[in-house]
Amino acid sequence: PAPMLTLIAHVRFVLAVVATSPQAPPELAAQAAGEALRHASADVSALEIAAVAYEESKFQDVRGKRAAVCGVMQVATGGREAECRRLLDDRAYSYERGKAKIREARAWCQRRKLGDACTFAVHGGGNAWRAPRPQRYALRVMARIKAIHETIEPRRGRPAT
């Protein structure tokens, strides 16, 4: 029974990510949901990984300007071409580096007694996290997390989407 419940929970998560990712091809969203589940840990959830990957790249392996950010999680590379290439070529590495970036941002915000909005703003904006653009990014990530979660666990009396 326990492995079956885990399988059902994973299928529900994959379907929720696909359903709440309208700008990504369904097969890419399903693959990304699987990656999010694979790379989730006690301190960085699959919900957070999937939401950030969608907001950063719509689950695509992309290169930012001058290779400054690369991969599905848009990880800063300091312009190092070899690091950018690895993030583009190795999805598992890209997700692990993105998870590490979320973890680092969360620790920085917790030291300052700031919440999740700070975590995702720092992830999206680095040192300029207080600027309007990273703040809007953070709100989009948190809304996406909520949408995925509500699709998995609909409120009583409300049908699942």
Side-chain angles (χ1 to χ4, degrees):
M4 183 56 77
L5 290 176
T6 301
L7 175 62
I8 291 169
H10 285 190
V11 169
R12 288 177 72 184
F13 179 78
V14 170
L15 293 173
V17 170
V18 171
T20 59
S21 304
Q23 295 177 351
E27 58 280 356
L28 193 56
Q31 178 187 11
E35 292 287 348
L37 286 166
R38 221 174 342 277
H39 295 285
S41 59
D43 60 339
V44 181
S45 74
L47 285 166
E48 293 168 324
I49 293 168
V52 168
Y54 180 80
E55 289 301 328
E56 286 289 353
S57 69
K58 307 298 183 262
F59 308 128
Q60 311 258 351
D61 291 310
V62 294
R63 169 195 292 273
K65 292 181 183 176
R66 298 177 306 283
V69 292
C70 297
V72 72
M73 300 280 287
Q74 289 294 276
V75 174
T77 65
R80 293 183 312 274
E81 184 61 36
E83 177 70 359
C84 183
R85 208 169 314 114
R86 184 168 180 201
L87 288 161
L88 293 170
D89 293 343
D90 185 345
R91 282 193 145 226
Y93 178 72
S94 185
Y95 276 99
E96 280 300 312
R97 292 278 287 119
K99 181 174 80 171
K101 188 175 172 188
I102 293 170
R103 186 180 287 131
E104 290 165 13
R106 178 167 286 131
W108 188 89
C109 293
Q110 285 175 343
R111 285 192 302 275
R112 288 155 182 80
K113 300 190 182 344
L114 301 169
D116 283 341
C118 170
T119 297
F120 299 116
V122 168
H123 184 282
N127 294 335
W129 71 275
R130 284 192 170 103
R133 187 170 179 215
Q135 292 294 317
R136 287 190 303 272
Y137 167 84
L139 294 175
R140 285 193 316 272
V141 169
M142 291 186 336
R144 179 142 315 278
I145 290 168
K146 182 179 178 192
I148 295 168
H149 180 73
E150 286 182 353
T151 302
I152 296 168
E153 298 290 335
R155 287 183 240 147
R156 290 179 188 232
R158 186 176 149 228
T161 54

